[in-house]
Amino acid sequence: MPYEYENFLVEVQDHVAIATFNRPKAMNALSRGVMKELSHLVDELTADNDVWGVIFTGAGDKAFIAGADIRELAALSSVSAPVYARWLQEIFMKVEMMYKPTIAAINGFCLGGGCEFAMACHMRVASVNAKIGQPEVHLGVIPGAMGTIRMPGLIGKGNAIELIATGRMIKATEAFRLGLVNHVVEPEELMNKCMEIMKEIFKNGGLAVRYAIESINHGCAATPIEGGNNEANLFGLCFATEDSQEGLNAFLEKRDPYFKYQ
Ligand code: CO8
């Protein structure tokens, strides 16, 4: 499927879509135009059966995404700002709720809305030269695309308060120590590492991966009882798939499984 966007470059390799935010002159800042296209792109990637997983990265060698577009933020009012924030939140929620695995390949500045976007992705791999932070308080505002919600979930409340209240930019190694990114690699290894993770995931039953992501996403926002119920239902659903029969039998027959669905 050809993907044609003004603010994104998209290529599909080995069933992985590499979606590159492409506004390098503005450090790939998230303008309204970028966000509109991101929403549409997520729909297209979800519908494309040839795409089993998505890696998001930023064009150029400086930035993943340097935040929401500050020129546009400067034009907001106390009436339009919450409307804009909710719109961004809904689009990032759509990213988080994708059942295909997603990785943010963080290749430089990952700030403000860029960090919030990375946290909406399922996994984060950073290049050693990445700089990550939520500098909104330096501008007299706060994160508005669920950074104050997702960050405590990833690194704990105390660490999140320190990062968000100071607005401090941290290096990739510190982000790794905090649990904000899954891996740190040399810049030239960034895409290889992301592809390696995707390929490891693709060896598994695709429906099981989908239900696992769904259960984790649901469970993070639910009470333990609700999360547990949903997990049990999805666990039950696995037994309606040919893949579960194949996976269980393959183990008992001491052979590799052949999974049909991705
Ligand atoms: N928005 C718009 N333009 C940007 C942004 C941005 N976030 N970041 C960089 N740019 C532009 C610069 O204006 C500059 O453009 P020009 O060449 O036309 O002047 C170009 O990118 C290059 O930037 P610099 O010259 O500043 O490059 P440096 O290498 O000196 O510095 C930095 C790079 C450190 C990344 C610096 O550009 C910077 O500090 N950028 C702003 C980072 C920031 O504060 N981000 C947070 C923004 S607020 C936010 O994201 C809130 C999210 C809330 C979402 C909810 C919505 C309501």
Side-chain angles (χ1 to χ4, degrees):
M1 185 190 284
Y3 288 89
E4 283 172 19
Y5 290 87
E6 201 182 317
N7 296 293
F8 287 91
L9 301 170
V10 184
E11 56 168 320
V12 180
Q13 276 176 27
D14 299 333
H15 301 290
V16 179
I18 300 169
T20 304
F21 287 82
N22 188 29
R23 253 192 109 201
K25 283 188 185 148
M27 299 257 171
N28 304 318
L30 301 172
S31 62
R32 283 179 192 268
V34 173
M35 291 306 299
K36 246 187 229 170
E37 286 197 345
L38 175 63
S39 180
H40 191 256
L41 175 59
V42 170
D43 292 340
E44 273 207 290
L45 293 169
T46 302
D48 187 341
N49 290 333
D50 192 42
V51 170
W52 300 351
V54 185
I55 299 171
F56 290 99
T57 194
D61 53 4
K62 282 196 168 166
F64 172 67
I65 302 166
D69 191 301
I70 296 177
R71 276 182 194 85
E72 291 183 4
L73 290 187
L76 293 175
S77 69
S78 61
V79 175
S80 59
V83 175
Y84 186 45
R86 289 308 296 264
W87 181 61
L88 251 67
Q89 289 178 6
E90 278 165 24
I91 297 169
F92 285 4
M93 191 63 83
K94 192 152 81 169
V95 172
E96 182 167 37
M97 292 300 157
M98 272 182 95
Y99 60 79
K100 303 180 184 192
T102 59
I103 303 178
I106 304 172
N107 58 326
F109 289 111
C110 173
L111 303 173
C115 184
E116 292 176 297
F117 172 76
M119 292 191 289
C121 292
H122 299 144
M123 294 159 275
R124 286 149 294 284
V125 178
S127 139
V128 279
N129 61 17
K131 295 217 175 81
I132 304 174
Q134 296 283 166
E136 285 88 345
V137 290
H138 295 321
L139 304 169
V141 297
I142 67 167
M146 292 186 69
T148 61
I149 318 299
R150 288 198 178 95
M151 190 176 271
L154 286 169
I155 66 174
K157 184 175 161 185
N159 287 323
I161 289 181
E162 184 172 334
L163 267 196
I164 292 173
T166 59
R168 185 193 302 144
M169 239 191 267
I170 58 171
K171 290 183 179 168
T173 45
E174 174 67 355
F176 176 72
R177 190 188 68 77
L178 291 169
L180 191 52
V181 302
N182 303 37
H183 303 275
V184 181
V185 294
E186 292 299 322
E188 59 277 13
E189 281 305 311
L190 184 60
M191 295 316 284
N192 289 343
K193 182 70 194 173
C194 296
M195 287 299 276
E196 185 188 305
I197 296 169
M198 286 294 182
K199 284 182 182 163
E200 201 179 337
I201 293 173
F202 295 164
K203 285 185 195 153
N204 303 313
L207 291 173
V209 168
R210 179 189 302 196
Y211 299 153
I213 292 173
E214 198 178 316
S215 182
I216 292 167
N217 270 334
H218 182 90
C220 285
T223 64
I225 290 175
E226 285 167 350
N229 271 338
N230 185 58
E231 185 189 67
N233 289 335
L234 289 167
F235 182 70
L237 202 51
C238 292
F239 286 82
T241 68
E242 291 168 71
D243 277 358
S244 71
Q245 299 303 312
E246 169 63 10
L248 295 166
N249 287 336
F251 179 83
L252 296 173
E253 292 162 13
K254 300 189 186 304
R255 61 175 174 82
D256 288 336
Y258 171 74
F259 292 117
K260 202 166 163 187
Y261 297 102
Q262 280 295 341

